[in-house]
């Protein structure tokens, strides 16, 4: 009689060998493995174990009905992108048994572990019956559970979380049955952003409330600013640095009280504030946990009990870059850990070497990705690092369809070792982040990035791939060919003449917006005008994205100047500090050209770097006839944000803009014929008021004049700069993130109209109170009433973004309805006005 046996294949030191399990009386003594939890970690462990050991007894317990499902695809079923329920289920208990001979027991919750007896107690969730099951080895894969913070009202039936398929069905069924018009997503992490997009796709008016200063926590604030703008342009409302204090349920809607004092009304709420390891079972068994509650494991995925393994979102990980312990719940690591646990169960010496947090997110038509560590982690680990920002195209710019991406690279100052990378863009982001993730895993330096030979053809890349470019720029910094300063250094640069602040863009770009204190000398004239610069003073240079500034720095440094380049350029700086509202949408196709004698001129400026698009537009406008419509496609976001001001400055009519997958399409009508938008006066009789003062009496006078002009049918713009910004500040305190100097400014300046004093005879505030009293007694509208009346009459209130930056005033601190602009916007209004007042 032949003897059956069970064996696990082992690869060790390059040799393959088999270890037979104990044989007794010609029968197999099989290893019995219990796996608690399916999905990524548990299902991967079960499948790998079966492939290694055909004779092991494998039992997988799942307290729900689904053992393997597309967790990351759940939001897209709610939004309608994934249409069939069956697409979410990767394996059923029946298919898993047929393929892998795994005994899958659904509706079975493991409630306790007896480590001495090596048994578990299992409760049937549908009947309540409890049974005991023994094990030789035990694998825990309980996952992570959504946080439900102790907010009053969070238990309302209209408040949902999203973890599994039943949660998904509940949300989708609620939307289909109740037809909610609005939703608030609490939390701006990966799930929060995905849910915001998909609820918006389902037709809801969506608001996201995030406690931190930016969404998508693993990326840094500066990169997230582009995401904020993109989310808002899609029509999603975004509240940052704000939290939900309470949820009040009414018969018609829910009311959310925010920490800022605002109240939001909504039909449903999605809680997406994060997850925590579901480790109650491990804690009850006395297994070691870390401070956050994650299960402590070694590199073989063993707990402190040699017969118990743990994998997936419930376990503590070691950061690959910093070697520090952490908690990073991602599907990729969970799958790898399940495989590694199975290897070790079969005697294969397999180790998990750490998590580097490689992740990617679809945010409408934008892609956000990161790998390695961010700045917060680098500082916490005490790593001396540097960073560079580049703005490359997804493929060769002469081939149609190229769009730009912003790449942030972190590296060690001393060695150049790659620490982390973040990319925000559209096409080609996934390819580059994966190359950089591989480079980090291989321990490469930024010098190594320059040597990578990556595939190139015009539709796919450039001869110098963005990954190569990141290496080149970082190499220049490390070898001293270029010194850099960053967006957060700009405010501290002296404006007293002790340094030279130089903008090397074209005059057109400079006039459309520039950083306060910078002078303009285009790079192409720099050699001829170098004598205008003092060689004894350090020179801080900027252009749009950093490339022309680098060329300028090389010219200056080789002529004896101490020169610094603004990494990322003015475009990146503006994305952080310019809180411009989303640009007006372009009219529908059938309404785009209305003048009978006009023609449409199509321009393709995609792939052109600044100032290419604006120059191409200017040439087309010059050659066009009055009334002609120029429609231009561009991938330059600076163009998209400045086009309206350019049109107003040049006297052309801005018809609108739309954006899709990184391509912005703008329409401009040349000059102002009868074909100009209805109601636009041909004669320039608008009124332009520049409010520099923060005095109560001058503010009143400004709004009296503005209301009078508006009542006569005139278009009125009021440009508030420096002390005049205090007129627009909210009366209540707004919690915003500021540096020390900005916070001190805020404390010293009056907050809102109620705190303004008189320019003369203020008498410690008594004069202001007397004036207000007289106005009330004589039935004269108060300043607050005048401001409201002005806004209702269409008076445009513009806050100077440069002055806000200097004085440390954040957009959230200003009253509703204020727009933001710079000197270009003010000058454009002035040129269209027959009167400009400076108050």
């Amino acid at each position: 009689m032949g003897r059956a046996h069970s064996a696990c294949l082992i690869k060790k030191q390059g040799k393959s060998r088999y270890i037979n399990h104990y044989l007794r009386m010609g029968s197999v003594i099989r290893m019995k493995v219990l796996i608690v939890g399916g999905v990524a970690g548990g299902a991967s462990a079960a499948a790998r174990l079966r492939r290694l050991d055909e004779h092991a007894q494998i039992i997988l317990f799942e307290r729900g009905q689904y053992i393997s499902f597309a967790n990351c695809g759940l939001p897209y079923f709610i939004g309608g992108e994934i249409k069939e329920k069956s697409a979410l289920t990767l394996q059923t208990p029946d298919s898993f048994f047929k393929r892998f001979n795994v005994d899958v027991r659904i509706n079975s919750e493991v409630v306790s572990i007896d480590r001495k007896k090596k048994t578990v107690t299992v409760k049937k969730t549908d009947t309540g019956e409890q049974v005991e099951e023994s094990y030789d080895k035990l694998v825990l894969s309980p996952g992570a559970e959504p946080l439900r913070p102790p907010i009053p009202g969070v238990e309302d039936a209209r408040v949902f979380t999203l973890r599994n398929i039943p949660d998904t069905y509940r949300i989708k069924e609620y939307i289909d049955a109740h037809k909610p018009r609005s939703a608030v997503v609490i939390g701006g992490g990966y799930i929060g952003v995905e849910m915001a997009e998909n609820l918006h796709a389902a037709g809801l008016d969506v608001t996201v409330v995030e406690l931190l200063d930016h969404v998508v926590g693993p990326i840094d604030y500066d990169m997230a600013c582009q995401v904020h703008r993109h989310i808002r342009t899609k029509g999603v409302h975004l509240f940052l640095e704000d939290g939900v204090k309470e949820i009040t349920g009414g018969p018609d809607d829910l009311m959310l009280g925010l920490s800022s004092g605002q109240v939001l009304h909504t039909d449903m709420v999605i809680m997406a504030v994060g997850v925590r390891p579901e480790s109650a079972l491990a804690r009850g068994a006395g297994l070691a946990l870390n401070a956050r509650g994650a299960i402590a494991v070694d590199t073989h995925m063993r707990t402190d009990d040699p017969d118990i393994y743990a994998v997936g979102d419930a376990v503590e990980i070691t950061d690959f870059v910093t070697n520090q312990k952490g908690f990073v719940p991602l599907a990729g690591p969970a799958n790898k850990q399940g495989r590694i646990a199975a290897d070790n169960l079969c005697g294969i010496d397999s180790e998990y070497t750490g998590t580097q947090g490689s992740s990617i997110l679809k945010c409408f038509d934008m892609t956000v990705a990161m790998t390695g560590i961010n700045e917060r982690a680098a500082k916490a680990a005490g790593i001396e690092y540097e960073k560079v920002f580049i703005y490359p195209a997804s493929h060769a710019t002469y081939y149609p369809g190229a769009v730009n991406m912003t790449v942030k690279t972190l590296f060690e100052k001393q060695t150049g070792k790659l620490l982390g990378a973040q990319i925000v863009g559209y096409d080609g982001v996934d390819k580059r982040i994966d190359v950089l993730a591989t480079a980090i895993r291989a321990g490469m330096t930024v010098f190594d990035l320059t040597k990578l030979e990556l595939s190139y053809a015009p539709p796919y890349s450039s001869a110098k791939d963005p990954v190569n470019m990141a290496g080149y720029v970082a190499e220049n910094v490390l070898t001293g060919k270029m010194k850099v300063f960053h967006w957060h250094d700009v405010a501290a640069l002296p404006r007293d003449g002790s340094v030279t602040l130089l903008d090397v863009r074209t005059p057109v770009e400079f006039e459309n917006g520039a950083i306060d204190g910078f002078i303009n000398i285009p790079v192409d004239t720099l050699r001829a005008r170098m004598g205008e610069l003092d060689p004894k003073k350090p020179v801080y240079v900027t252009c749009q994205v950093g490339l022309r500034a680098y060329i300028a720095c090389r010219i200056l440094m080789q002529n004896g100047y101490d020169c610094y380049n603004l990494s990322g350029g003015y475009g990146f700086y503006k994305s952080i500090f310019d809180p411009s509202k989303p640009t007006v949408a372009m009219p529908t196709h059938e309404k785009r050209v209305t003048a009978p004698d006009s023609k449409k001129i199509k321009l393709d400026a995609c792939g052109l770097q600044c100032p290419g698009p604006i120059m191409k537009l200017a040439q087309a406008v010059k050659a066009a006839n009055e009334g002609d419509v120029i429609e231009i496609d561009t991938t330059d976001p600076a163009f998209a944000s400045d086009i309206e001001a350019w049109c107003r400055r040049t006297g052309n009519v801005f018809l609108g803009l739309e954006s899709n997958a990184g391509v912005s399409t703008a329409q401009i009508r040349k000059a102002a014929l009868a074909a100009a938008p209805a109601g636009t006066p041909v004669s320039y009789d608008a009124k332009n008021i520049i409010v520099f003062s923060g005095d109560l009496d001058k503010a009143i006078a400004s709004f009296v004049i503005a209301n009078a002009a508006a009542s006569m049918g005139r278009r009125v713009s009021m440009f508030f700069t420096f002390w005049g910004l205090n007129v627009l500040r909210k009366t209540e305190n707004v919690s915003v993130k500021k540096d020390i100097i900005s916070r001190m400014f805020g404390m010293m300046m009056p907050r809102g109209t109620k705190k303004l004093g008189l320019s003369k005879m203020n008498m410690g505030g008594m004069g202001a109170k007397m004036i207000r009293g007289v106005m009330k007694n004589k039935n004269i509208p108060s300043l607050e009433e005048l401001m409201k009346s002005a806004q209702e009459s269409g008076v445009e209130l513009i806050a100077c973004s440069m002055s806000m930056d200097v004085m440390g005033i954040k957009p959230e601190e200003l009253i509703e309805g204020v727009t933001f602009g710079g000197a270009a916007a003010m000058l454009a209004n002035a040129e269209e006005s027959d009167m400009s007042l400076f108050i």
Side-chain angles (χ1 to χ4, degrees), residues 443-520:
M444 289 183 174
T445 67
V446 292
F447 301 104
D448 294 320
L449 298 183
T450 68
K451 303 170 186 175
L452 292 178
E453 186 176 333
L454 304 173
S455 59
Y456 160 60
Y460 302 105
S461 184
S462 300
K464 294 178 181 177
D465 189 85
V467 174
N468 298 133
M469 292 303 301
Y472 290 135
V473 175
E475 178 187 54
N476 286 337
V477 173
L478 289 174
T479 57
K481 296 181 182 68
M482 180 177 71
K483 298 178 182 179
V484 293
F485 68 110
H486 299 290
W487 60 269
H488 47 75
D489 301 321
V490 173
L493 292 176
R495 267 71 172 181
D496 58 1
S498 60
V499 301
T500 300
L501 307 179
L502 178 63
D503 189 320
V504 297
R505 296 176 297 158
T506 64
V508 170
E509 293 173 282
F510 185 78
E511 290 170 8
N512 258 3
I515 303 174
D516 174 52
F518 279 67
I519 62 171
N520 181 221

Side-chain angles (χ1 to χ4, degrees), residues 2 67 73 80 93 140 248 265 348 416 550 570 577 666 717 737 749 802:
I67 60 162
L140 303 179
T248 305
H265 292 261
I348 299 176
Y550 166 62
Y570 174 75
F577 290 105
S717 61
K737 186 177 182 179
M749 293 187 300
M802 177 275 294

Side-chain angles (χ1 to χ4, degrees), residues 394-408:
S394 57
H395 60 246
T397 55
Y398 59 81
Y399 186 87
V403 290
N404 293 93
M405 63 185 79
T406 305
V407 183
K408 178 178 183 176

